[in-house]
Amino acid sequence: MHPSRRYYLNALGLESWVRRGGAPGGSAEAAGVAAAAADEIADPAMKPKSVPAPAAAAPTFEVPRDWAGLRAMVKDCRRCRLCETRTQTVFGVGPENAPLMVVGEGPGADEDAQGEPFVGRAGKLLDEMLKALGRSRKTDTFIANVVKCRPPNNREPAPDEAESCRPYLEQQLRLVKPMLIVALGRVAAQRLLVTDTPLSKLRGALHHWGPEGTPLMVTYHPAYLLRNPGEKAKSWQDLKAIDRFLAKPA
Ligand code: URA
C-alpha cells in the first residue's frame, strides 16, 4: 500500500476497516462502504462532474478591500443578534494567499473562547484531514466560517445571520483567491452555492464559486464525522478527490 494511502486510512480511522474487512462494530454494510470507497478512489480516471457558479447576489453592505480593514470591521461587527452573545469574533486563520480555503459553519464554544476557527474536537479532526493532504493551517490552508460569531448553544446560523456575514466571507474568498474552496458540511455548502440541495447530492461534483468561477468541492463537516464515524470512508473519498484536484498543474 502506498504510504500516503495508508496515511489517509490511519488519519480517518479507516485502516482497520479495510484490513480486517469490517467496520468498528463489525458491520458488513460499513465494510462494503469502505471497500467501495477504496475501489473508487483507486480509479484515477474518476472525474467529478463540473457545475457552474450560481449567480452572485449583491453584497448587502460595503466591506474594505484590504485585509487590515476587513479584520478591523469584522472585529467590531454588530450587524446581527450574534454579537450580543459572542465572546469575540472569529475571523479566520491561515496564510492570506493559501491555495486551499476551507469554509465551515460557525464558531463553537472553543472557537468563541480562543478567537480561532476549528480548535475544538472537530478542529482536531479537520487538522488530521488536512495533514492527510500534506497541508495545514500554518502552511497553506486558510480556514474561515460562514458566520464569524458563535450561534448560542451551537445552533445552526439562521439565514439572516449568515446573510449578514456574507460580505465578510465573500471578501475573504476574493482576497485569498484560492485554487480550491472546500465547503465543510451542508450549511457552508448550501450558503456558498446558494442552493437547498442536500449535501449528499452536492458531494462528488466540481462546483464553482464567484465571478471567476473558483473551483469548489463539498465534503462532510468534521463534527458530523465525529457523530457518524461510518461516513468516514466517504469523507476519505472526498479527500482523495481534493488531493487529485490540488495536484493538477495550474
Ligand atoms: N465548527 C465550525 O463549523 N467552525 C468552527 O470554527 C468550529 C466548529
Side-chain angles (χ1 to χ4, degrees), residues 104-108 111 117-118 145 221:
E105 182 175 319
E111 292 76 21
F118 284 99
N145 280 309
H221 193 289

Side-chain angles (χ1 to χ4, degrees), residues 7 10-12 110-111 114 116-132 135-138 143 184 221-223 225-226 232 239:
Y7 192 86
N10 267 330
L12 294 176
D110 296 311
E111 292 76 21
Q114 294 183 44
E116 182 170 328
F118 284 99
V119 290
R121 268 185 80 219
K124 303 276 170 286
L125 180 55
L126 175 60
D127 284 341
E128 284 299 311
M129 291 158 79
L130 292 175
K131 197 167 167 194
R135 293 172 187 275
S136 78
R137 63 179 77 200
K138 287 212 165 28
I143 304 175
L184 294 176
H221 193 289
L225 294 175
L226 290 172
K232 284 180 175 177
L239 287 184

Side-chain angles (χ1 to χ4, degrees), residues 77-229:
C77 182
R78 308 202 67 80
R79 285 191 169 265
C80 80
R81 68 186 84 81
L82 297 184
C83 72
E84 288 158 23
T85 48
R86 74 178 182 222
T87 304
Q88 59 190 316
T89 57
V90 179
F91 181 79
V93 70
E96 292 173 352
N97 59 353
L100 175 61
M101 180 153 167
V102 170
V103 180
E105 182 175 319
D110 296 311
E111 292 76 21
D112 178 65
Q114 294 183 44
E116 182 170 328
F118 284 99
V119 290
R121 268 185 80 219
K124 303 276 170 286
L125 180 55
L126 175 60
D127 284 341
E128 284 299 311
M129 291 158 79
L130 292 175
K131 197 167 167 194
L133 295 170
R135 293 172 187 275
S136 78
R137 63 179 77 200
K138 287 212 165 28
T139 57
D140 54 13
T141 305
F142 193 91
I143 304 175
N145 280 309
V146 166
V147 291
K148 311 302 183 210
C149 297
R150 180 192 182 200
N153 306 316
N154 297 337
R155 66 162 168 75
E156 206 174 281
D160 62 320
E161 294 159 355
E163 187 57 16
S164 293
C165 237
R166 180 168 62 84
Y168 298 141
L169 177 61
E170 289 182 348
Q171 189 63 345
Q172 287 177 310
L173 287 160
R174 278 187 225 107
L175 285 166
V176 175
K177 287 198 209 77
M179 228 176 111
L180 179 67
I181 302 164
V182 172
L184 294 176
R186 176 181 57 79
V187 171
Q190 291 184 342
R191 295 305 308 184
L192 286 167
L193 297 173
V194 199
T195 181
D196 291 334
T197 305
L199 181 94
S200 56
K201 294 217 161 69
L202 296 173
R203 284 182 55 246
L206 184 63
H207 301 269
H208 294 88
W209 178 86
E212 288 83 30
T214 307
L216 185 154
M217 288 185 178
V218 173
T219 189
Y220 294 106
H221 193 289
Y224 173 83
L225 294 175
L226 290 172
R227 292 192 305 272
N228 301 277

